[in-house]
Each structure stands twice: as structure tokens, then as C-alpha cells.
Amino acid sequence: MNDEFYMNLAIDEAWKYQFLTYPNPAVGCLILSKNGEILSCEAHQKAGMPHAELNAVISALQRLNPNLKAVFKTAKNANELYALALQNHANLLSGARAYVSLEPCSHHGKTPPCANLLKELGFAKVIIATKDVSEHAKGGEQVLNVAGISTQIGVCKDRADELLEPFWAWSNGNFSFFKIALTQNGVASGGIISNHASRTHTHAIRSLVSLLVIGGNTVRTDRPTLDTRLINGGKNPDVLIYSNETKFDTSIPLFSIKDRKVTISNSLEAAFERHFVMFEGGGNALSNLDKRVKWLLIYRSNEFKDAKNISLNLKIKIMHRAEFDDNELLWCKIIN
Amino acid sequence: MNDEFYMNLAIDEAWKYQFLTYPNPAVGCLILSKNGEILSCEAHQKAGMPHAELNAVISALQRLNPNLKAVFKTAKNANELYALALQNHANLLSGARAYVSLEPCSHHGKTPPCANLLKELGFAKVIIATKDVSEHAKGGEQVLNVAGISTQIGVCKDRADELLEPFWAWSNGNFSFFKIALTQNGVASGGIISNHASRTHTHAIRSLVSLLVIGGNTVRTDRPTLDTRLINGGKNPDVLIYSNETKFDTSIPLFSIKDRKVTISNSLEAAFERHFVMFEGGGNALSNLDKRVKWLLIYRSNEFKDAKNISLNLKIKIMHRAEFDDNELLWCKIIN
Ligand SMILES: [Zn+2]
Ligand SMILES: [Zn+2]
């Protein structure tokens, strides 16, 4: 087992929360004891919640001293958790190694800086997949080096950069992706394809996006709701119906969702001015996809269906897979 | 990280050699040092080559003492490697833990028993996913227990039993599976779908099977060769063409392969009398599959193609995925 093995575990953990950390980046952190034992592997899960490094530190400390569970449970937020880690670490992680998919932050954001946490707990070495180039957060490596902690940069850099693509894109203006559900033999139509767990995941993403774009034909045929009812307290996204025809049957459920703005337009320009945009639709929409839509999310069921597939020419790169019970989610980059 | 985590790594490693160990079972072994560091994770790769436990022991010893690489390199076969491990271990693995997907063997087969190896090297504990119930190999746990080594049975048992399904089936008479290559949108026809690495894997499997079954229509349409030219020294399997019509154009390449017996029959009974049988064909063959064919191997390309899919109703369980460059291989069980 080498550095790549451990970093890949950290990156895999981060992928579980891809998109769900918006507007933050997805980040993972694995901690190896002085003796080389894996103590924890955690990720940043949601904006406002602890960073990956803090989650991994808490999990590792609890493993080494189960009595700390009760202590950490008293924390009401990430700041308090951070303070409790500093007060209670008892040098348990002295000499440990951290594998982080992104350079630890050096700034006081919603939480104090992770570079400082690793420094105070006496980590011996921090292995970093890729540098943080953002103005406010960069510089973590320097903080560590000044404290005498050795660092190594670039382990699994390509995978880490892929993981961060949405973050850099939405930070710089726009990240857009297309979501589709398919059977094993490429059928997208004729009733619900994906299972409850997949649809719950879709609803969690919908509740974070700035805008949902859907084609007029899909709206007429599927009469969708496009809400987030499967998750608690989800925000229902605004919808842009991409259509030349402006008249729609307003009894289609999506028009009756509270606090939602629905726009009908034959232009997508307004969509690409929003930070995080989800496109939904069928094979026709995917065939005619705007080049600015970079990623494709495929929820694939575990069934073949006796029906016609979506038919188009498209090349993808599968970056990561997740399982939702008997469905799989393929995180894909569109190549052409 | 818990026992399941380590056992899953051992099982994942074993899956890399699924079918390729024929007639032996696919088995994986992970070794954790006394301090909890992962030292190695290896599998049985091919009949006649070292068992998973021996491979993992050699790999762990070399990691702890790199000078042993030159020593182990002198071994001409698995027996010599086993003897060298016993002579040179220097108690480096004393107190270590082994995670094995199948109970270590207790018999002298082509190699001496693995249970004895773990005993002699002073392992503290052996975690076993599932028991070996074969008459000649069972009893490894008892050997360990008598020597004072603690054992634990049943960690990830379901996954280990799935991994072993082909082994138990071909040992008891017959294991049959169907292989197909599909695009992302379920297209199986119109030229080569899968990449070179996928086809090389298919050829490696073909060279081990007892018989290859293919439908008459596929033979007429695709005019296949069904050989193993992509691997060195591959054996070309005998072919059963499943067809009511006995006349075929014998210029179809499959008829000209040396040392191959081709049978044309409208019955599959002879196939199910062979130990390890591969079915190939298109959507029509898959739609009409005999119930005795239990597994489906899907090689999936990274492209959508503007063409018609294979259309049928079928439910599968994906047990494992492998990557072959930009293709994926899905190891599936047919549910109905
Ligand atoms: Zn941070
Ligand atoms: Zn053995």
C-alpha cells in the first residue's frame, strides 16, 4: 500500500458528497497513525459543516480514545468541535500522517483554518493531492512547512483536480451538468427508471442548484413536478423551460410549486450566468446539448427494458461510480 | 476501518482474477501488521501458481525486508516459494492478522497447505469470510485453532460466497455464463463495441472455458473467429453452434481454427454437461437464454451510439465492476 492507495480512499470519500458541498469544494481526508494504521477517512459533507480535516481528526481521536465521543457530542457547531479537538487531542495524533485531496485551508472562514489544526495536533507529514489556488484559502502548505511539518504535493493530482472541477467552475461563474436515468440497455422513457435512493439523491442536488433547465418537449410529455419532496426542508429550484413555444398547460405540476420562478425562453444565456445549473431531459435534449454543459450524471437501473433506447453519438469519461441500493450513479465527463 | 473494510479489499483483489483461476476458486488475502498497517493484499491468479495466502505473505515479507526480493526471485515454482517463506520469515509476521476470503486450505495440493504457512509464521489471528466445504481442502480453521491462532468466520460472507459461486458450480458439474459487449445506450451491434483490453480479457477467459456456445444467427451475421489470438499461448475453445439449421458457410473464420471441434446442434444438453461454459451472442440470444446460465458479463464501452439497442426484459444484480482502460466490465448475476 502506497501514498496513491491512501489518497484514492480520501478522494473516494469526497466523491460521496460531490455537489452536496456547494458552494464549497468536495474534499476528503484520511489519517494514518504513526504506525501506519488507517485511523479515519472522512469528507466535507455540506457547507457550514466541518471541513474534511476536522471530521477526520475527530473520527481518529474517537477511535483512539472512545471516551472522547461524549466530549465531542457536546459541540453545537464546527467551531466548537474545532476547539474541543485542540483541547482534547492529548497528542494522540502526534506523528500521524494526513492525506488530503485539497491543500488544507489557511483562512478563518466559517471554521478556523485546517492547516493550523494539523499543526497544533503534531502531525508529522501532510500529503496533498492538489494545491488550493483560491485567494482566500491558499497558503496552507506554507503554514505547515513553517511549523516543521513535511508536505508532499501532487499525489493523485489528476483525480483530485477532476473532483474539484465543479468547484472551480461555479466559483468562476458557471458549472452546468445534465442528469438522466437509463436502464441497462439505454432506455430513458416509459415511467420511472431510477429507484427511490437515486431519486432522493437527485432531490438533494436539486435543492442546491441555482437553476433547473428542462426542454419544452419533456415538460409536455412527462408533466414533471421537479420538486425536492424526498428530502427534508429542500429548496425547490427555479426552472427555465427551454422552448420556442411559450404556451404551456399550467396544470403541469411544476408550475404549482411554491416559491418557484418559472421562465420560458428560447435562449440559454441566462442559465449560463447562474453558478450551478442542472439540465434534465431525455435523449433529444442530450443529443442537442450546449457545449457549456460539461458533466453527465447517469443513474442506471438494474434492469433491461423491452423498449427503444435513446439514440445519439456521444463519448464520455466515467470519473466515479456510486451505488444507490440496486442502482448505480455514473459521474461522467462529456468528451464529445 | 473495521474487519469488513479489510475483507472487502481482499475480495476486490480476488475479483480481478475471477474465472482466470479455473478450475481453482478465486481467493484474496490481505495482511495487517501487528500495529494495524496494511502490508499486502494479493490474490490467487491462476491454477498452479501460489495461493492467495502465499502471495500475500511473500509480498508482506518483501515490504518489511526489501532484501528478500532477491531471495524469493530464485523460486522456480510455488513449492519453492513456500519453502523460502518458511526459511526466511525471521518472525517478521509474528502477531500479524490475515484476512482471507476463503478458509485457508489444509491439504497438500500442487502447493503445501496455507493453514500451515500462517501457523509457522506466527500469525495472531486469521479472519475468514467463508468456510471451505470441499472434502479435500477443508479443515484449515481447525489447524489454526489447534496451533493457538484465533479465527473469526463470516466477515463479508455474502460477498465471498458470490465470488465463489462459479467455483462451486463448475466443481459440481457446470457453470455457465453469457458475455455481451454494449455501448452506454445498450447497442450491441454494428462493429466492434469493446476496446482492446476488454477483448484481451475475453480471450483469456475463452482460453479456459470447456466450451463456447453461440447462436446460429450470430454466426451468420457476425462471421466470428472466436479465437484467443490476443493472448500468448491461448487454447481455442471448442464451439457449439446452437441452431436448427445445420448448414453453415464454412468459410466463416471460426471453422478454420486449428485443434477446435465445432458442433452444430439444436440442443444445449451437451453444453450443460461441460464444467465451464461461455455463451456469446446478441440481444436475441440474451432474450431466450436458458435458465441454467446464471451470470452475465457486460463489457460496456464509453460511448453512446446512434443505433438501436438490444430490447428485452431482464433484471440483474451487479456484483462487481472492473475497468479496462475506458471500458468497464460488469460482473452480473441474472435475477430474472
Ligand atoms: Zn479547511
Ligand atoms: Zn491454500
Side-chain angles (χ1 to χ4, degrees):
Chain A
M1 305 303 133
N2 53 20
D3 286 341
E4 282 70 26
F5 174 80
Y6 296 113
M7 190 63 86
N8 274 318
L9 288 176
I11 292 174
D12 288 344
E13 190 64 26
W15 267 105
K16 293 184 188 168
Y17 303 93
Q18 180 64 278
F19 289 2
L20 304 178
T21 59
Y22 177 82
N24 288 350
V27 183
C29 176
L30 178 143
I31 295 178
L32 216 56
S33 79
K34 197 196 300 202
N35 294 322
E37 183 185 5
I38 303 174
L39 297 177
S40 62
C41 184
E42 303 290 346
H44 179 47
Q45 299 185 3
K46 202 180 154 140
M49 284 173 65
H51 287 189
E53 296 91 331
L54 179 55
N55 275 332
V57 158
I58 295 296
S59 170
L61 289 174
Q62 288 180 165
R63 185 189 172 97
L64 294 168
N65 178 3
N67 294 328
L68 289 173
K69 280 180 196 169
V71 175
F72 294 140
K73 211 177 265 179
T74 65
K76 283 188 282 297
N77 55 45
N79 276 326
E80 291 188 17
L81 200 57
Y82 188 104
L84 287 171
L86 288 187
Q87 288 155 30
N88 294 281
H89 67 84
N91 294 317
L92 285 171
L93 293 178
S94 166
R97 281 174 180 230
Y99 290 82
V100 283
S101 63
L102 176 65
E103 185 180 5
C105 66
S106 65
H107 71 304
H108 277 266
K110 287 176 185 165
T111 45
C114 293
N116 188 60
L117 177 71
L118 301 178
K119 182 185 89 176
E120 293 294 328
L121 268 65
F123 275 75
K125 184 166 183 181
V126 178
I127 296 97
I128 298 165
T130 197
K131 296 273 280 183
D132 192 338
V133 294
S134 61
E135 254 336 294
H136 63 290
K138 71 179 185 184
E141 190 196 11
Q142 208 187 342
V143 170
L144 295 167
N145 290 160
V146 166
I149 298 170
S150 85
T151 52
Q152 185 178 339
I153 303 254
V155 174
C156 303
K157 182 177 189 308
D158 290 349
R159 269 198 88 200
D161 286 340
E162 228 161 37
L163 176 71
L164 291 167
E165 250 178 50
F167 170 69
W168 295 123
W170 67 50
S171 299
N172 291 325
N174 171 264
F175 177 77
S176 295
F177 69 98
F178 189 94
K179 169 245 148 186
I180 196 165
L182 295 176
T183 67
Q184 286 290 326
N185 57 334
V187 178
S189 53
I192 290 171
I193 301 284
S194 55
N195 68 13
H196 185 82
S198 292
R199 283 179 283 130
T200 303
H201 185 254
T202 295
H203 285 203
I205 294 174
R206 270 193 198 144
S207 87
L208 290 166
V209 297
S210 323
L211 183 70
L212 198 160
V213 179
I214 188 158
N217 287 335
T218 305
V219 170
R220 286 190 195 89
T221 312
D222 292 0
R223 302 180 63 85
T225 309
L226 303 175
D227 65 357
T228 58
R229 67 191 175 282
L230 296 177
I231 58 164
N232 277 327
K235 172 181 73 74
N236 292 306
D238 290 343
V239 171
L240 170 68
I241 301 176
Y242 183 45
S243 171
N244 284 314
E245 175 62 64
T246 55
K247 273 183 202 139
F248 280 84
D249 171 2
T250 54
S251 75
I252 293 171
L254 78 88
F255 289 101
S256 312
I257 299 297
K258 238 181 60 174
D259 302 327
R260 157 176 294 168
K261 198 176 128 202
V262 179
T263 317
I264 301 168
S265 172
N266 62 0
S267 163
L268 291 173
E269 293 316 305
F272 294 109
E273 285 166 11
R274 307 295 293 272
H275 288 291
F276 185 26
V277 182
M278 177 171 193
F279 286 68
E280 297 198 38
N284 196 44
L286 185 54
S287 299
N288 298 296
L289 205 57
D290 190 287
K291 294 284 174 231
R292 288 168 286 187
V293 182
K294 302 293 191 190
W295 281 20
L296 173 63
L297 264 59
I298 305 173
Y299 293 90
R300 184 136 41 204
S301 80
N302 68 332
E303 289 176 310
F304 290 74
K305 210 163 133 175
D306 193 358
K308 205 195 156 309
N309 59 339
I310 60 165
S311 190
L312 71 154
N313 291 312
L314 185 74
K315 199 169 171 179
I316 58 172
K317 181 192 175 191
I318 301 174
M319 296 174 289
H320 193 71
R321 290 174 189 77
E323 282 177 40
F324 293 112
D325 299 333
D326 59 11
N327 279 192
E328 57 175 349
L329 164 58
L330 306 175
W331 294 92
C332 311
K333 199 186 293 206
I334 296 170
I335 297 179
N336 62 42
Chain B
M1 305 302 133
N2 53 20
D3 286 342
E4 282 70 25
F5 173 81
Y6 296 112
M7 190 64 86
N8 273 319
L9 288 176
I11 292 174
D12 288 344
E13 189 65 26
W15 268 105
K16 293 184 187 167
Y17 303 93
Q18 180 64 280
F19 287 4
L20 304 178
T21 59
Y22 177 82
N24 288 352
V27 182
C29 176
L30 179 142
I31 295 177
L32 216 55
S33 79
K34 198 196 302 199
N35 294 321
E37 182 187 5
I38 303 174
L39 297 177
S40 62
C41 184
E42 305 288 347
H44 178 47
Q45 299 186 2
K46 202 181 154 144
M49 285 173 64
H51 286 188
E53 296 90 331
L54 179 55
N55 275 331
V57 159
I58 294 297
S59 171
L61 289 173
Q62 288 180 164
R63 184 188 172 96
L64 294 169
N65 178 3
N67 293 329
L68 288 174
K69 280 181 196 169
V71 176
F72 294 139
K73 210 177 265 178
T74 64
K76 283 187 283 296
N77 55 47
N79 276 326
E80 290 189 17
L81 200 58
Y82 187 104
L84 288 170
L86 288 187
Q87 287 156 30
N88 294 280
H89 67 85
N91 293 316
L92 285 170
L93 294 177
S94 167
R97 279 174 180 232
Y99 290 82
V100 283
S101 63
L102 176 65
E103 184 181 5
C105 65
S106 65
H107 71 305
H108 278 266
K110 286 176 185 165
T111 46
C114 293
N116 188 61
L117 176 71
L118 300 178
K119 181 185 91 175
E120 294 294 328
L121 268 64
F123 275 73
K125 184 166 182 180
V126 178
I127 297 97
I128 297 166
T130 197
K131 296 271 281 182
D132 192 339
V133 294
S134 60
E135 253 335 295
H136 63 290
K138 72 180 186 184
E141 190 196 12
Q142 208 188 341
V143 171
L144 296 167
N145 290 158
V146 166
I149 299 170
S150 85
T151 52
Q152 186 178 339
I153 303 256
V155 174
C156 303
K157 182 178 188 307
D158 290 349
R159 268 198 88 200
D161 285 340
E162 229 161 35
L163 175 71
L164 290 167
E165 249 177 50
F167 170 69
W168 295 123
W170 67 49
S171 298
N172 290 325
N174 171 264
F175 177 78
S176 295
F177 69 98
F178 189 93
K179 170 245 147 184
I180 195 164
L182 295 176
T183 67
Q184 286 289 326
N185 58 335
V187 178
S189 53
I192 290 171
I193 301 284
S194 56
N195 68 12
H196 186 83
S198 293
R199 283 178 283 129
T200 303
H201 185 253
T202 296
H203 285 202
I205 294 174
R206 268 191 199 147
S207 86
L208 289 166
V209 297
S210 322
L211 182 69
L212 198 160
V213 179
I214 188 158
N217 287 335
T218 305
V219 170
R220 286 188 195 92
T221 312
D222 292 0
R223 302 180 62 86
T225 309
L226 303 175
D227 65 358
T228 58
R229 66 190 176 282
L230 296 177
I231 58 165
N232 277 328
K235 171 180 74 73
N236 292 305
D238 290 343
V239 171
L240 171 67
I241 301 176
Y242 183 44
S243 171
N244 284 314
E245 174 63 66
T246 54
K247 273 183 202 138
F248 281 84
D249 171 3
T250 53
S251 74
I252 293 171
L254 80 87
F255 290 101
S256 311
I257 300 296
K258 238 180 64 175
D259 301 327
R260 156 175 294 165
K261 199 176 128 200
V262 179
T263 316
I264 302 167
S265 172
N266 61 1
S267 163
L268 291 173
E269 294 316 305
F272 294 109
E273 286 167 11
R274 307 294 293 270
H275 288 290
F276 185 25
V277 181
M278 177 172 194
F279 286 69
E280 297 197 38
N284 196 46
L286 185 54
S287 299
N288 298 294
L289 205 56
D290 190 287
K291 294 284 174 229
R292 288 168 285 187
V293 182
K294 302 294 190 191
W295 281 20
L296 172 63
L297 265 59
I298 305 173
Y299 292 90
R300 184 137 40 204
S301 80
N302 67 331
E303 290 176 308
F304 289 75
K305 210 163 132 173
D306 193 358
K308 205 197 156 305
N309 60 339
I310 60 164
S311 189
L312 70 155
N313 291 312
L314 185 73
K315 197 168 173 179
I316 58 172
K317 180 192 175 190
I318 301 175
M319 296 174 288
H320 192 72
R321 292 174 187 77
E323 282 178 38
F324 293 112
D325 299 333
D326 59 12
N327 280 192
E328 56 175 350
L329 165 58
L330 306 174
W331 293 92
C332 311
K333 199 186 293 206
I334 295 170
I335 297 179
N336 62 42

